[in-house]
Amino acid sequence: MFDVRTVEAGACCEQERDSADGAMSMTARRRRAFQRQACLLSVLAAFSLGLALGVFVPLIGISQAASKGSIVVDGSPEQEPQQPALQALHHPAHQMPHFPTIDDIRSADDGPRGRYASVSFIAEEKLTGEGEDVLFHPKLEVDGFVERKLPSPAASIVQQMLAGSSKMAQAAVPERRESRASKFDDSEREDGEGVIRDGIYWGPSVERALPDGFDQRQSESWARYLHEAEVERLEIGCGRMQNRLLVFRDGTRACARYRQNTDQIQGELFSFYLGQLLNLTNLAPSAASIIDPEARLWAAATEELAGAQWKPTKPVVITKWIGNLEPAGIPQPFRPLERHLNRFDVRNITEGLDRPRDGVRRLLLDRLGPARDGPAATPATPSSSTSTLPAQPPTPEVLERLVELAQWSDLIVFDYLIANLDRVVNNLYNFQWNADIMAAPAHNLARQTDSSLLVFLDNESGLLHGYRLLKKYEAYHGLLLDNLCVFRRSTVRALEALRDASVGQRLNALFERTTTAQIRDVLPPLPEKSVKILVDRIDRVLGQVQKCRETFADR
């Protein structure tokens, strides 16, 4: 007999099985959907990883390829073909130790760059204790370069000098250049036509081509002139607000520097004295004077003195007006801060290898320098093909570049010694905001158009105020010096003489000899603290010369 309850129970079981099957189907669909999403995420992750590897690994490979002699062609690394012409471009400069760069100032690592780690960039601030003093400019418009304006408050002195005129004594030029050539010892070893000598000094061909500038005889003549001259009037000009352009009765012009405190007057005057002791001819003749309305020098300009608010008994520095000036830029070897100047750089300039050719960017001593991560390699002994410069004399264009660099080698040494804040250091400081600042004219530096002489203007921060700020700016002062390995032999010999003698006594002896008792009553000699710092900095420069001699001198 058929049981109805059994049929109903079976129907219930079948319904439960259908429900279970439906639930299982729903779970399977969700699982498959999850698997598809996971697969898609895995593909995207793999693609992202591959993209990252494809971008960053080649960049890492560029620096590795640099140490193996690779070059850059159209932005992509390629192995340099082993051709004789290209092999000649690779010389022991690739194996030189690390030269410091602007990145070392920002670095906090230990090791060879550790001495720069304590230096930090500072906020915009006035650099002197006087209200009218120079203020570093964090911004500089590139459009200003086209107008050839110096980006500093001292620009007006250069701009005004552009309208002036100054004729060189042409008859005396051959005699002076002949006497300069006679300084060289024939027994000293020279490279090629005398472009580089003993591996670290400018040779006779460059020395003979240097402009004559202002020697000690001209400086003494200027001091004698001021004892007899009479100022006819004072005009606005010569840089700072309280400076004045002096016009004498005979038409001679000069710039007078006036300051409330004496530190900057001392700095300008003693920096000039130091230039004389170093036999530098790039500083315009200068002398100190006292504002005395009853003195012959000032008697005819008493009203202008009152209008300028110049107080009696205040010292001023009177500098001879230099005409035919134009702003001077930073040479190409010093613009990219990874570059340096040594005998191999000079060789590249002489042979024209420092410029692009054949569509290939020859980054010999720029980007493809020695690897910084590895140990510093000792330079290999130069082969016969690289130990000397070409036998033929340099072309006029090349010689002009070398003459500029020779004057810059003196400028770098001089500015390091006096710790000048307001020349190249200003450009280096502003580099953190404006990468184009190195293409701007250097502060307080001008070129005489008729002689290519570089004139070192406005050195008032030297020896006193600059020394007080060494803790903050020493890295900038030392940056160019640490990258310089070509010097003028006469400058090095003068430094050696100052090291062996008392530089403080010699500076103060010049001060005693060239000033009157009235000036010395209000203007003190160079402080002993500044003398000690100067002695240390002379030793530092000579230490750099010795390092370059051990690295680059002929063996």
Side-chain angles (χ1 to χ4, degrees), residues 337-355:
L337 298 185
E338 293 79 9
R339 292 201 64 168
H340 35 75
L341 184 66
N342 55 59
R343 61 178 298 185
F344 299 116
D345 299 317
V346 174
R347 176 180 181 270
N348 288 338
I349 293 172
T350 307
E351 295 184 349
L353 301 181
D354 65 328
R355 297 180 178 179

Side-chain angles (χ1 to χ4, degrees), residues 314-439:
K314 281 284 187 178
V316 294
V317 174
I318 303 176
T319 301
K320 185 177 181 180
W321 179 274
I322 308 301
N324 300 332
L325 294 183
E326 63 179 2
I330 301 175
Q332 190 63 34
F334 297 119
R335 286 189 188 179
L337 298 185
E338 293 79 9
R339 292 201 64 168
H340 35 75
L341 184 66
N342 55 59
R343 61 178 298 185
F344 299 116
D345 299 317
V346 174
R347 176 180 181 270
N348 288 338
I349 293 172
T350 307
E351 295 184 349
L353 301 181
D354 65 328
R355 297 180 178 179
R357 68 178 187 179
D358 300 330
V360 178
R361 297 174 65 193
R362 306 290 186 186
L363 304 181
L364 293 178
L365 300 177
D366 291 284
R367 212 166 290 171
L368 299 186
R372 299 184 185 179
D373 295 333
T378 302
T381 302
S383 63
S384 59
S385 63
T386 61
S387 60
T388 60
L389 296 174
Q392 66 274 16
T395 64
E397 179 186 7
V398 169
L399 188 59
E400 182 180 359
R401 296 181 64 193
L402 298 180
V403 165
E404 180 187 26
L405 291 174
Q407 295 181 82
W408 265 82
S409 66
D410 272 347
L411 174 64
I412 291 171
V413 170
F414 178 68
D415 276 0
Y416 181 82
L417 291 175
I418 68 173
N420 191 351
L421 294 171
D422 200 19
R423 199 162 9 243
V424 187
V425 168
N426 200 332
N427 291 66
L428 294 176
Y429 175 84
N430 284 283
F431 185 78
Q432 59 183 313
W433 292 291
N434 185 356
D436 296 326
I437 189 69
M438 301 307 289

